[in-house]
Amino acid sequence: QVQLVESGGGSVQAGGSLRLSCAVSSYAYNCVGWFRQAPGKEREGVAYVDSGGNLAYADSVKGRFTISKDNAGNVLYLQMNSLKVEDTAMYYCAATYRLLGDCTLAKADYNYWGQGALVTVSS
């Protein structure tokens, strides 16, 4: 069982920055990542990091967002720079222990979820 608790959401103007944090309760995962869901839209993958430190990003956030973990691996971060209005969404951290294959940005592949943190970007 993995418990995840997000923090750090808020409101910012376009072009600004925010950092989200996710406290992770255990090490029973090998894929951990960030997802987001805008009003009226499907939840989409934003970024993940696997147990080997490999990273992946959605095309929409490449070059603007950075995913990282603290040295102990207990906290997951998402540094969001150059924020756009279209980045407005509820952001979730998620984790899973994947038995076969690489980690993905598909929400169906993750079975542990946090409660979400709201990010609002205004023009």
Side-chain angles (χ1 to χ4, degrees):
Q1 187 77 11
V2 181
Q3 293 181 326
L4 308 107
V5 180
E6 302 95 337
S7 60
S11 297
V12 65
Q13 287 194 319
S17 298
L18 279 175
R19 189 176 78 160
L20 299 178
S21 301
C22 175
V24 187
S25 67
S26 81
Y27 298 102
Y29 63 91
N30 55 10
C31 302
V32 64
W34 290 97
F35 292 74
R36 67 185 182 184
Q37 187 166 15
K41 294 191 175 181
E42 292 286 322
R43 190 171 299 188
E44 62 176 1
V46 174
Y48 73 73
V49 55
D50 69 17
S51 55
N54 299 302
L55 312 173
Y57 295 92
D59 289 343
S60 58
V61 306
K62 279 180 183 175
R64 300 188 299 122
F65 290 12
T66 303
I67 189 171
S68 63
K69 293 194 294 184
D70 71 336
N71 289 337
N74 294 328
V75 184
L76 180 72
Y77 299 103
L78 185 68
Q79 177 66 43
M80 303 182 291
N81 297 329
S82 302
L83 281 160
K84 303 176 181 180
V85 172
E86 51 264 42
D87 294 319
T88 295
M90 188 71 80
Y91 283 72
Y92 300 88
C93 61
T96 191
Y97 192 90
R98 193 162 173 84
L99 295 175
L100 294 173
D102 296 332
C103 299
T104 75
L105 288 175
K107 62 182 185 293
D109 289 345
Y110 291 76
N111 50 353
Y112 300 110
W113 292 86
Q115 82 287 353
L118 182 62
V119 172
T120 303
V121 185
S122 59
S123 58

